[in-house]
Amino acid sequence: MKASNTSLGTNESPNYGVSDTVTSLSIGGILFALTVGSMLVFADTVVGEIVIALYGFLPIVGMLVVGGVLTLGYYVTTKGLKNNSNATALAGTLITVFAYGAFGAGILSPYAPSIYNQAILLAGGGTCLIGLIAATVVYSTDKSFRSWGEKSGKTFLFAIVAVGLGSIIPGSIGALIVGVGFVLVLIGFVIDLVYEIWQVASGNRTPIENGFGLYVAFTGVFVHLLQIALEAMGDQ
């Protein structure tokens, strides 16, 4: 898909211009900011403690609960947008923001609040870099990334299997397999981010749908980089 000279659209959708792209990015950015704010609000509260308890009981339990709520939020939002139901779309968006906020709170809570902001900035910068690289690849090639949505879904399924196995295998081997599942989830969100950027470039959806899709994928990458940043800073 080659970007047109007058817009950020493509040969398939030359009328999907800069303003539509800016709208999608703005929606995604606002939702992301609200999510980070909710992470900080929920951190060191019962919300974060519940998430920690779920993953502490069995990693697969936490993964299924958090992933299930995120999936529900995504489904309700997309259904509302496709049916032009603002109330349904808003409800689904709030569910998604809450799920990501609660998960982020569970990630932050075990660490000292003094490193929260720095870790968030590091993870946010890393996610932006990944997004920039992905956007460069999408907009500079004729390649279609339509199949990458399905690829991300399959990657998530492999991640669930890995975390499930790791949860029932004791000792360091089980922990290693859970770690593999963690990496697969991160890879799945990176693949999904490429797919969502391609959706923006192709103009197959409305700017609002694209904005929400970008938000879900971007935040998915962010929360996993946040775990890495906190772990690295916490060991210092």
Side-chain angles (χ1 to χ4, degrees):
M1 296 179 298
K2 296 180 180 178
S4 68
N5 294 327
T6 58
S7 73
L8 291 179
T10 67
N11 291 336
E12 296 178 7
S13 56
N15 294 323
Y16 195 90
V18 174
S19 62
D20 295 312
T21 302
V22 170
T23 298
S24 296
L25 291 174
S26 297
I27 291 170
I30 291 171
L31 292 176
F32 177 73
L34 290 173
T35 300
V36 172
S38 68
M39 291 178 186
L40 293 171
V41 170
F42 293 148
D44 301 306
T45 69
V46 66
V47 175
E49 291 174 358
I50 290 174
V51 173
I52 293 172
L54 289 171
Y55 279 89
F57 177 69
L58 280 178
I60 188 61
V61 172
M63 185 179 194
L64 291 177
V65 171
V66 173
V69 177
L70 283 173
T71 301
L72 174 64
Y74 183 85
Y75 172 78
V76 173
T77 301
T78 54
K79 182 177 181 180
L81 292 174
K82 292 184 182 300
N83 294 335
N84 294 317
S85 173
N86 293 332
T88 302
L90 177 60
T93 301
L94 291 175
I95 292 172
T96 308
V97 171
F98 173 79
Y100 266 137
F103 182 57
I107 294 171
L108 290 170
S109 294
Y111 298 91
S114 60
I115 67 172
Y116 287 178
N117 290 338
Q118 186 178 353
I120 287 171
L121 288 174
L122 286 173
T127 309
C128 287
L129 179 60
I130 291 173
L132 180 61
I133 294 172
T136 300
V137 171
V138 170
Y139 280 97
S140 64
T141 69
D142 290 324
K143 178 179 174 62
S144 171
F145 293 89
R146 185 182 300 275
S147 64
W148 282 45
E150 181 179 348
K151 290 179 180 178
S152 68
K154 290 180 178 178
T155 305
F156 290 139
L157 289 177
F158 284 126
I160 292 172
V161 172
V163 173
L165 288 174
S167 297
I168 60 177
I169 297 176
S172 59
I173 295 178
L176 177 62
I177 297 175
V178 169
V180 171
F182 167 88
V183 173
L184 287 174
V185 174
L186 174 57
I187 292 173
F189 275 117
V190 171
I191 294 173
D192 188 43
L193 183 58
V194 174
Y195 170 74
E196 293 297 339
I197 292 173
W198 175 80
Q199 284 284 12
V200 173
S202 64
N204 293 323
R205 304 183 307 196
T206 67
I208 296 177
E209 289 177 294
N210 284 332
F212 180 73
L214 284 173
Y215 156 70
V216 171
F218 185 92
T219 308
V221 175
F222 168 79
V223 292
H224 287 81
L225 293 187
L226 180 61
Q227 293 179 70
I228 296 172
L230 286 166
E231 185 67 26
M233 295 175 64
D235 289 338
Q236 293 179 358

